[in-house]
Amino acid sequence: MKKIALIAALCAMMVPSLNAQEVTYVEDPAQGYLLNNFKDNWFIQAEAGAGVLMSPNDKKVDSFGDRIGYSFQLSVGKWFSPVVGIRGGADAYLGKGAALGLTNDIGVRPDLDIAGNLYGQKVWQFGPTFDVLVNLTNWWMGYKPGRVYNGIFYVGAAVNFTCAKDLENNDWSFEYADSHNLSIRTGLLNKFAVSKRVDILLDLRCDLVQEHFDTKKTRNLYATALLGLGYNFGKTEWKAPVTAVCPTWKYTDAEGDALAARLQAAEAKIADLEKQLRDCLNRKPEVIEKDDAPLATIYYPIGKSTITGVNTKIVNAVAEVMKQSDKNYVLTGWADNYTGTDKINAKLRKDRVNGVKKALVRKGVAADRLDAQINDGNLTSFGAKCASLDRAVTINEAK
């Protein structure tokens, strides 16, 4: 709402009089989309097609046509957004392939005596299904009302009740095959919009069945291609945020002259700023006088006076500078006055400054060029929270 109000305010500023034409408001899907009511975006789908079993035994059937079975599905679903939806329903398919020879001729086709005690078989499977849908077209290309094609990826599961035929008695029964099994499935649902309500569907799916229905239980693939129709209920499009549309405006000659004058003034201001920038870039840098900053400062942990870690490298570098100079230096030991007793702090100041002096002498700096002192005050004035800045030894050139 804040964005819409801002656009409307800008439109009002651009238009001198609102009597000529007012600001209009329209839905704009490019600004994002909202969720519809729960009663909207429902659909029903009916599909029919053919499928092929793909187990190692099934592949030994000589004729590919003897492996093609019927497949049907009826589903009801809902889209929760232009990208995510679900559907549930029931499917049934006839699995035709090869199985090991069975003693009671369960579902076996004697006319397809293949080899190695393998016989052709027919088994129906049917049961409830559930899928999660992802509209890849809307996800990757953005939602667009009235789009004809949508590619929908889905993944789901099914409970399959199996039914095999006893050819000897010429009847179908659950007792001749596994009573039920589970399967997971994935596929691509290609949806072509015929109208706002009706879709043509091409569903390409692959099921991984938990158990096969011959005498040797295995995992089995079932590839399916189905054609179908879908019908959409309720609101089929999605609510989009409302955005303000500024009216077109034709300026009068006087208004055009005023705008030209404002443009000239802006160009003059830009030229002046460019000149100031060039003058600033061409200005010679100011020479800053050297202050009394120390040559180096060595910091210590609380209660410590030993030079460790990176401070050792600092002392070594300072020694090299001193050896290349003929100047004398003042070393000052510090300790914070917020922790410890006066006696402990006095000892810390003395130990710290003497430790630095000894380290410099070991590196080749003459001892008579180093004046070791202590200071009972605080090195900084930042208070107790910054007391670690007061635990140090400072090294300055002697005046």
Side-chain angles (χ1 to χ4, degrees):
M1 293 303 295
K2 291 182 178 179
K3 183 177 181 180
I4 296 172
L6 177 60
I7 295 175
L10 291 174
C11 290
M13 293 174 61
M14 293 174 61
V15 181
S17 174
L18 293 180
N19 294 329
Q21 187 177 357
E22 294 185 357
V23 177
T24 58
Y25 300 88
V26 296
E27 289 189 0
D28 183 5
Q31 304 297 326
Y33 35 77
L34 305 177
L35 299 180
N36 284 347
N37 296 327
F38 185 76
K39 65 181 181 180
D40 296 323
N41 304 103
W42 286 86
F43 59 85
I44 185 170
Q45 297 172 343
E47 301 171 272
V52 179
L53 285 171
M54 315 251 330
S55 77
N57 288 341
D58 300 323
K59 295 178 182 179
K60 295 178 182 179
V61 177
D62 292 335
S63 175
F64 185 79
D66 289 330
R67 294 167 54 192
I68 299 176
Y70 310 114
S71 185
F72 308 92
Q73 177 165 301
L74 181 64
S75 308
V76 177
K78 173 176 173 55
W79 289 102
F80 296 99
S81 76
V83 176
V84 179
I86 60 171
R87 70 176 180 179
D91 72 350
Y93 61 86
L94 175 62
K96 297 171 64 177
L100 294 173
L102 306 177
T103 58
N104 57 352
D105 294 332
I106 301 171
V108 171
R109 298 172 56 191
D111 59 312
L112 287 180
D113 185 353
I114 301 170
N117 201 27
L118 291 176
Y119 292 86
Q121 69 170 359
K122 292 183 179 180
V123 178
W124 276 102
Q125 295 213 81
F126 57 92
T129 64
F130 177 81
D131 298 317
V132 177
L133 312 175
V134 179
N135 190 316
L136 300 179
T137 307
N138 285 340
W139 183 13
W140 294 341
M141 301 177 63
Y143 168 66
K144 180 181 178 181
R147 178 178 279 134
V148 174
Y149 172 77
N150 283 274
I152 301 167
F153 171 79
Y154 65 88
V155 62
V159 178
N160 303 303
F161 296 90
T162 62
C163 180
K165 190 172 185 180
D166 180 1
L167 298 182
E168 184 176 340
N169 298 317
N170 195 31
D171 65 347
W172 292 85
S173 174
F174 290 105
E175 112 182 58
Y176 302 121
D178 295 336
S179 61
H180 67 276
N181 53 48
L182 300 177
S183 66
I184 58 174
R185 57 201 222 150
T186 184
L188 179 65
L189 177 63
N190 300 274
K191 187 175 72 170
F192 302 87
V194 178
S195 68
K196 194 173 183 179
R197 298 290 180 190
V198 179
D199 300 317
I200 294 177
L201 309 174
L202 172 59
D203 195 348
L204 305 176
R205 185 173 73 232
C206 183
D207 296 71
L208 177 61
V209 184
Q210 179 187 26
E211 296 178 350
H212 198 216
F213 19 74
D214 56 22
T215 57
K216 182 179 180 181
K217 296 179 180 180
T218 61
R219 287 179 173 82
N220 191 47
L221 288 177
Y222 189 72
T224 314
L226 304 101
L227 284 174
L229 291 176
Y231 186 82
N232 304 304
F233 297 92
K235 184 178 176 67
T236 59
E237 296 182 351
W238 296 88
K239 297 177 182 177
V242 176
T243 184
V245 177
C246 296
T248 58
W249 184 261
K250 294 183 178 179
Y251 290 97
T252 64
D253 291 341
E255 291 168 343
D257 293 341
L259 287 175
R262 291 174 58 184
L263 179 60
Q264 291 176 359
E267 291 176 345
K269 184 66 174 179
I270 293 173
D272 181 62
L273 291 174
E274 290 177 343
K275 180 179 180 302
Q276 294 182 40
L277 177 60
R278 287 194 299 270
D279 293 343
C280 182
L281 293 174
N282 295 330
R283 186 182 306 158
K284 293 183 179 180
E286 298 180 3
V287 179
I288 301 175
E289 295 183 0
K290 185 178 180 181
D291 55 17
D292 294 331
L295 174 62
T297 302
I298 313 299
Y299 291 98
Y300 296 84
I302 184 171
K304 302 295 182 180
S305 60
T306 304
I307 302 172
T308 60
V310 70
N311 287 326
T312 302
K313 297 181 180 180
I314 294 175
V315 171
N316 294 341
V318 169
E320 294 300 320
V321 173
M322 290 180 175
K323 287 190 290 183
Q324 297 175 16
S325 170
D326 58 355
K327 298 178 180 179
N328 295 331
Y329 296 89
V330 177
L331 314 181
T332 305
W334 303 83
D336 73 271
N337 291 314
Y338 307 105
T339 58
T341 63
D342 292 342
K343 182 178 179 180
I344 292 175
N345 287 337
K347 184 176 186 304
L348 285 172
R349 295 183 185 103
K350 183 177 179 180
D351 291 346
R352 288 170 179 170
V353 71
N354 288 336
V356 173
K357 182 175 180 179
K358 290 179 181 178
L360 291 172
V361 171
R362 283 197 300 270
K363 286 295 179 178
V365 181
D368 57 1
R369 296 175 57 197
L370 305 175
D371 180 14
Q373 303 177 0
I374 63 172
N375 191 311
D376 296 335
N378 289 319
L379 177 57
T380 69
S381 59
F382 300 129
K385 291 184 178 180
C386 302
S388 58
L389 297 177
D390 298 320
R391 304 168 191 139
V393 171
T394 57
I395 304 173
N396 296 77
E397 293 182 3
K399 296 182 179 179

